[in-house]
Amino acid sequence: MLVERLDAIEPRKLRRLAGLAVFAVLLGVLSKGHFAGAGDAVHYMMIARSLAFDRDLDLANDYDDPHNAIFNGTLRPGAHVRQGAGGILRPVHDVGLPLIAAPAFAAAYVGADLAPRLPEWLRRRARLDRWIALRQLVGIMMAVATAFLSAAFFDLALTVTGRPGAAFVWSVLWAVSVPVLGLSFAFMTEVPSALIALTVYRRVDRLPPGGGSGVSSDPAWPTALGALSGLLLLVHARNVAISLVLLALIVRRTWPSRGPSAGAVAGFLALAAARCALNHHLWGTWLTNPHAAMGAWPGLGPFLAEAARRAGGLWLDQEHGLLPGAPVYALAPAGLWLLWRAAPGRASEMGALTLAYFLSILAPTINVHGWRGGFSTPARFLVPIAPFLGVFVLTAMLAPRARVLGPLLGLAQVAFAVVFWQRPMLMWANGTGRAAFAEALGGEWLVRTLPSWERAGGMDNVVVAVAVAAWIAATLYVARAPRADAR
């Protein structure tokens, strides 16, 4: 079989092949019509343009410039900017991603300026102007980041399962499927957040326990990892829970050696302080701004009801839920259970990262923006923890009791991936209650069959209840057999 043959290949080579395979697939997807130049992505580009060429965060001239390549100078700011301190027009989005990507974005912008010089027949055939060229070049830049994410995911999957072939196959499919695929070439924060979080977690593994000697015994490493954990706050405020858990894991790993632990905390606080200082510069406040603010306490009952509604929507809603377009993730709870029985330390770390972030998304007092992410792809807000969910899935797929269910869900995942590669626009939705992919694949019947949180009630409640009951039963069945080879 293919997997057995892959087991014989050196893991380092498989890691490179995984990244290259993912990048090749994404280049093919980029050649199709897509919405990577819509929604929040274009406004993140506007921030990057201001940083790259004006070296400031005053966006008034960027939106008013008719020669701007972004949307060919026609993009309106809408709710994406507000007047900040001193009456200056500021971005409401976090600036970490545009700041990190500013040099690469500048190169893409300059490259897009060459589009009008291409032969006219080529420009007509490719419908290529400055904006389309910029969008595609930025898409390639983000596809590179996704390829690195796939390679890092392969490392973690191999460490947990010890199965190179299975880790390779799943790392490629995982990266070119929902939820990662939808944002794999969009200039948005979720894929970079996943890459940073996974990189930090993998490096924590290499820190010598107690700060002793080892491969990564250099005292600068804990400081650097603490700073990277803090960088997640600068990329997006929604990453606060996962960044704090990562910091806790670094400190736990290096304790009781106070030097490395203090270095990790210092690195984290330096980036957190940078975020606070920047926020004060832009808005005159240290922590909150028009985009990142705490919600009012609605009372325990409404709080729990809203959290439950968000949890159900993130998993089951036909437009923005995870399972309708990526059914294999139904194995994630069983995988966590199996990993806990085989390697409780590993499971507790990954479970804490996943659960802390997930609960922060559900809490309306912490996350006032809901769970959909506006005009976006399925489970956008789950992408930063998708690497950990993905490892849970692989752990379950390798379980003896999943030898039938695992391949069936895997084949369904492949089928959905192929559909979305051919028609990437089917992934995007805007809360209308009608998933574009459901309408394309099954017409009105499938749209009415799959649950929607826009019209929840009646038959939708029945479908959700049956789906949840089947999910629980499958989880209990698969998880009954412990895994002996996870470590």
Side-chain angles (χ1 to χ4, degrees):
M1 290 179 61
L2 173 63
V3 173
E4 280 99 5
R5 292 182 180 179
L6 291 170
D7 283 336
I9 300 176
E10 183 184 1
R12 187 175 300 180
K13 184 178 293 186
L14 286 178
R15 185 183 193 274
R16 291 196 297 267
L17 288 174
L20 290 172
V22 167
F23 184 66
V25 172
L26 294 182
L27 286 183
V29 177
L30 270 169
S31 69
K32 314 290 184 180
H34 57 78
F35 286 125
D40 291 342
V42 288
H43 298 281
Y44 279 112
M45 290 186 198
M46 196 68 80
I47 301 170
R49 181 185 188 269
S50 186
L51 287 169
F53 298 110
D54 299 336
R55 294 179 176 82
D56 63 24
L57 288 169
D58 180 356
L59 299 189
N61 64 306
D62 298 282
Y63 282 99
D64 289 341
D65 184 1
H67 302 293
N68 190 337
I70 301 172
F71 255 75
N72 292 317
T74 63
L75 183 65
R76 296 299 91 204
H80 297 271
V81 299
R82 289 285 186 274
Q83 281 194 347
I88 300 174
L89 203 64
R90 301 297 194 185
V92 300
H93 295 288
D94 292 289
V95 302
L97 172 61
L99 184 63
I100 296 168
F105 180 86
Y109 196 97
V110 172
D113 285 337
L114 300 177
R117 303 180 185 180
L118 295 173
E120 185 177 353
W121 67 267
L122 177 60
R123 285 186 282 118
R124 282 203 309 267
R125 183 169 183 177
R127 299 178 182 178
L128 196 64
D129 57 18
R130 289 177 70 217
W131 162 233
I132 299 301
L134 175 61
R135 187 193 69 180
Q136 295 296 86
L137 289 172
V138 171
I140 293 172
M141 176 179 75
M142 298 305 294
V144 170
T146 307
F148 277 103
L149 176 61
S150 174
F153 178 80
F154 168 81
D155 284 340
L156 180 59
L158 177 59
T159 298
V160 172
T161 66
R163 301 279 295 275
F168 171 82
V169 172
W170 176 231
S171 65
V172 174
L173 179 59
W174 170 83
V176 296
S177 301
V178 167
V180 178
L181 174 64
L183 300 177
S184 60
F185 43 84
F187 194 60
M188 296 169 74
T189 62
E190 283 73 22
V191 165
S193 295
L195 178 57
I196 295 171
L198 183 54
T199 300
V200 173
Y201 180 67
R202 292 291 300 124
R203 181 56 66 171
V204 170
D205 262 353
R206 303 179 188 178
L207 291 175
S213 60
V215 176
S216 295
S217 57
D218 187 335
W221 271 112
T223 304
L225 294 179
L228 280 174
S229 301
L231 180 61
L232 283 168
L233 298 174
L234 200 61
V235 172
H236 205 290
R238 195 184 304 118
N239 294 327
V240 59
I242 199 169
S243 66
L244 289 172
V245 174
L246 285 170
L247 176 63
L249 292 179
I250 300 168
V251 171
R252 189 183 74 165
R253 181 77 173 182
T254 56
W255 193 261
S257 181
R258 295 184 181 179
S261 298
V265 173
F268 179 88
L269 291 178
L271 269 293
R275 177 188 170 81
C276 292
L278 179 61
N279 199 78
H280 190 270
H281 171 69
L282 296 179
W283 305 104
T285 55
W286 293 104
L287 294 175
T288 61
N289 58 52
H291 196 62
M294 297 289 288
W297 173 250
L300 182 60
F303 179 93
L304 294 176
E306 173 62 14
R309 189 182 74 85
R310 293 183 179 195
L314 273 168
W315 288 96
L316 297 172
D317 178 64
Q318 65 173 272
E319 291 180 277
H320 292 106
L322 179 59
L323 296 184
V328 75
Y329 279 88
L331 292 172
L336 176 57
W337 189 338
L338 290 165
L339 187 60
W340 179 270
R341 299 166 86 177
R346 173 77 65 185
S348 65
E349 293 173 352
M350 295 172 59
L353 287 165
T354 304
L355 186 61
Y357 177 87
F358 187 62
L359 292 178
S360 71
I361 297 300
L362 302 186
T365 52
I366 299 175
N367 172 29
V368 298
H369 299 289
W371 57 274
R372 297 181 188 279
F375 182 59
S376 64
T377 55
R380 170 186 172 184
F381 288 171
L382 293 185
V383 171
I385 56 170
F388 309 109
L389 293 174
V391 170
F392 299 154
V393 170
L394 180 59
T395 302
M397 291 183 75
L398 296 175
R401 283 179 173 258
R403 61 169 52 100
V404 174
L405 182 60
L408 286 176
L409 292 176
L411 287 174
Q413 188 82 358
V414 171
F416 276 113
V418 171
V419 169
F420 292 141
W421 298 343
Q422 297 301 315
R423 299 180 63 183
M425 290 183 176
L426 294 181
M427 288 183 286
W428 291 74
N430 201 26
T432 63
R434 303 177 65 88
F437 82 88
E439 199 162 10
L441 295 179
E444 192 66 24
W445 175 84
L446 189 56
V447 169
R448 291 188 175 276
T449 300
L450 292 176
S452 169
W453 263 234
E454 289 298 316
R455 59 167 196 266
M459 186 54 65
D460 285 273
N461 291 338
V462 174
V463 172
V464 169
V466 172
V468 170
W471 189 6
I472 293 173
T475 298
L476 293 174
Y477 175 78
V478 172
R480 284 182 61 189
R483 291 275 301 150
D485 60 344
R487 57 182 183 271

